[in-house]
Amino acid sequence: AQPLFSHLGSGMASKGGEKHAVNDYTVKKCVLDAKRDGLPPATLKKWCTDLNRDFYVQDDASFIKAWGELRDKWEKNNSRKKRKEQRQQREGQSQEPEAVRPCRRPNRRELRELREELPEVLASLQAARQDVQQGVCDSLERALA
């Protein structure tokens, strides 16, 4: 089996002569823990690739520290996304009516036409009211129709 962090396990020695490498079981343990907690596999693969290329990751301790930073950042962003989704769901479920968009303002030509039609509209409204009062129609809406 090829080691996950091949460049780190290549026998680089420090001044004291000891080798610095990330052990495969450390990487596997972190990946399996993250999988169990629901992190996407593509994200885990990207993290492993990034940390494999990271100059500062030289041993288990530096790997665990860098992994923890990536994990904390992901959890923070994920919790923010979940809160946003919950807020949108609550707003979608609220019983309040949606805000009414303001009407556009009529231009001068439309205003002139409305003014010309106004006497006819008022006459129709007065006739409908008389029909309701006389009992011809039982509601103003039906009288206007």
Side-chain angles (χ1 to χ4, degrees):
Q2 182 181 2
L4 296 173
F5 281 70
S6 56
H7 80 286
L8 298 176
S10 61
M12 297 179 359
S14 66
K15 293 178 184 176
E18 70 270 4
K19 291 183 180 181
H20 291 282
V22 177
N23 292 311
D24 284 347
Y25 66 84
T26 303
V27 176
K28 289 178 183 176
K29 180 183 178 296
C30 290
V31 169
L32 290 175
D33 287 345
K35 274 186 180 181
R36 185 188 66 234
D37 292 339
L39 273 81
T43 301
L44 299 176
K45 186 175 182 179
K46 180 183 182 305
W47 289 359
C48 286
T49 303
D50 291 348
L51 292 178
N52 191 15
R53 296 176 182 162
D54 191 346
F55 173 78
Y56 294 104
V57 175
Q58 296 293 325
D59 56 4
D60 288 346
S62 59
F63 174 82
I64 290 172
K65 180 180 178 189
W67 186 269
E69 290 171 359
L70 289 171
R71 178 91 186 244
D72 290 343
K73 185 177 179 182
W74 183 87
E75 287 175 353
K76 181 179 176 183
N77 289 337
N78 192 43
S79 67
R80 186 177 298 149
K81 187 191 312 183
K82 284 183 180 178
R83 283 194 310 265
K84 183 178 179 181
E85 289 172 358
Q86 289 173 351
R87 185 173 359 105
Q88 288 175 344
Q89 286 177 351
R90 279 195 311 263
E91 290 173 0
Q93 293 174 353
S94 68
Q95 299 296 331
E96 299 175 16
E98 294 183 19
V100 177
R101 288 187 343 192
C103 299
R104 72 172 181 82
R105 190 171 183 173
N107 60 30
R108 289 179 188 223
R109 183 181 52 81
E110 292 170 333
L111 284 173
R112 186 174 50 248
E113 290 173 359
L114 289 172
R115 283 190 194 118
E116 291 171 359
E117 294 174 0
L118 185 61
E120 292 175 30
V121 170
L122 291 175
S124 297
L125 180 62
Q126 187 177 13
R129 284 183 180 154
Q130 287 176 355
D131 289 346
V132 171
Q133 287 174 352
Q134 294 173 0
V136 175
C137 292
D138 58 339
S139 70
L140 185 62
E141 290 81 17
R142 287 190 182 178
L144 287 171

